[in-house]
Amino acid sequence: MKKAIYSILSLGFAFTLVGCDKSHLCSLDVQCLNENVSIVVDGEKLNSFNFSSEGLNHQPSERYSNIDFANPENNPSNANVNKFEIESLTSDTYNLSLELVKANKYVVDFLRVGIIVDNELRVYKYYDKRENIYHKENDPESMLHFNSKSEIFSEWTIDFSAGESKEIFTFIWIEEAELYNKNGERYTGWADKSYAASPIILSMQLE
């Protein structure tokens, strides 16, 4: 009888642990709204494409200082890195914008987004005067701020000549340095609010 009770309790505990697992989604949806421009992914021309990754108990948590922006294709970091090209049929100037969809306050607070276009890197975060990042190397002065809690940027113009293609890299991560206190201790348990972050859903448009 005791063995049966022990087995039942063990199974219940195992199911409880499984139930604690959380699926973390990181999604980037890219759309071209101009008929003269296409997204190129693995050599295929498209009007839209979705980059998506999902895993149990796996946030794209990383420190800014650990990301090798100069070598994005050989990046050893945990940041979510996506690569695609934009190709234009005509000489024109297009506008790139990026929105954050259905995000709760934890995603807004912790999210960092880096974009490389024409070898120009821009890194964005939401401005919060109450935030504390105790290691300046993870929060450089060059970092830009979101336009709002739902719009990351709206006016990034890109010039193309006819038939030209340009490579774009995106870096998406939860800033690990925000999850430490002033004593260098990592928040755990209920204090680790990154676990409460909603899925990271980004929508990029080129028009």
Side-chain angles (χ1 to χ4, degrees):
M1 184 66 178
K2 287 183 179 180
K3 288 185 177 180
I5 293 174
Y6 178 76
S7 298
I8 292 171
L9 290 174
S10 297
L11 285 172
F13 181 67
F15 281 122
T16 300
L17 290 177
V18 171
C20 290
D21 288 343
K22 183 174 180 179
S23 178
H24 293 284
L25 173 68
C26 185
S27 173
L28 172 66
D29 189 52
V30 186
Q31 295 181 323
C32 284
L33 304 181
N34 188 307
E35 61 183 9
N36 291 320
V37 68
S38 300
I39 304 163
V40 182
V41 181
D42 295 330
E44 185 178 0
K45 293 184 180 181
L46 305 162
N47 292 324
S48 63
F49 191 81
N50 178 261
F51 298 92
S52 184
S53 63
E54 186 171 14
L56 289 177
N57 286 337
H58 179 69
Q59 280 274 30
S61 179
E62 188 54 273
R63 295 172 186 261
Y64 174 96
S65 57
N66 289 342
I67 301 174
D68 187 357
F69 294 105
N71 299 288
E73 293 189 88
N74 298 307
N75 206 306
S77 78
N78 291 319
N80 185 288
V81 182
N82 302 301
K83 172 192 172 183
F84 59 96
E85 294 179 35
I86 294 176
E87 184 177 304
S88 177
L89 296 175
T90 61
S91 297
D92 209 339
T93 298
Y94 302 100
N95 185 66
L96 192 66
S97 62
L98 184 64
E99 292 187 351
L100 182 58
V101 182
K102 295 181 180 178
N104 67 14
K105 64 181 181 179
Y106 303 113
V107 171
V108 173
D109 286 346
F110 302 141
L111 182 65
R112 301 290 185 270
V113 178
I115 310 283
I116 297 178
V117 182
D118 268 352
N119 296 317
E120 178 187 359
L121 170 66
R122 300 184 191 180
V123 181
Y124 295 84
K125 68 174 222 179
Y126 181 72
Y127 174 70
D128 182 355
K129 63 182 179 182
R130 298 170 299 175
E131 77 176 354
N132 292 309
I133 297 182
Y134 298 103
H135 305 284
K136 192 60 182 175
E137 65 270 20
N138 295 301
D139 192 19
E141 293 180 358
S142 60
M143 196 169 288
L144 303 170
H145 294 139
F146 295 178
N147 289 347
S148 69
K149 290 184 177 181
S150 60
E151 184 179 79
I152 296 174
F153 61 82
S154 60
E155 296 182 355
W156 187 339
T157 57
I158 310 173
D159 297 323
F160 282 84
S161 57
E164 184 180 14
S165 63
K166 299 194 179 196
E167 203 168 57
I168 294 182
F169 288 94
T170 64
F171 303 78
I172 304 164
W173 76 98
I174 296 294
E175 180 51 58
E176 178 76 14
E178 284 210 18
L179 307 177
Y180 286 75
N181 65 21
K182 61 183 178 181
N183 299 318
E185 299 165 335
R186 176 67 158 80
Y187 294 126
T188 58
W190 292 109
D192 180 5
K193 300 302 182 182
S194 69
Y195 195 79
S198 59
I200 301 171
I201 303 175
L202 297 170
S203 176
M204 177 179 285
Q205 294 187 343
L206 189 77
E207 54 186 336

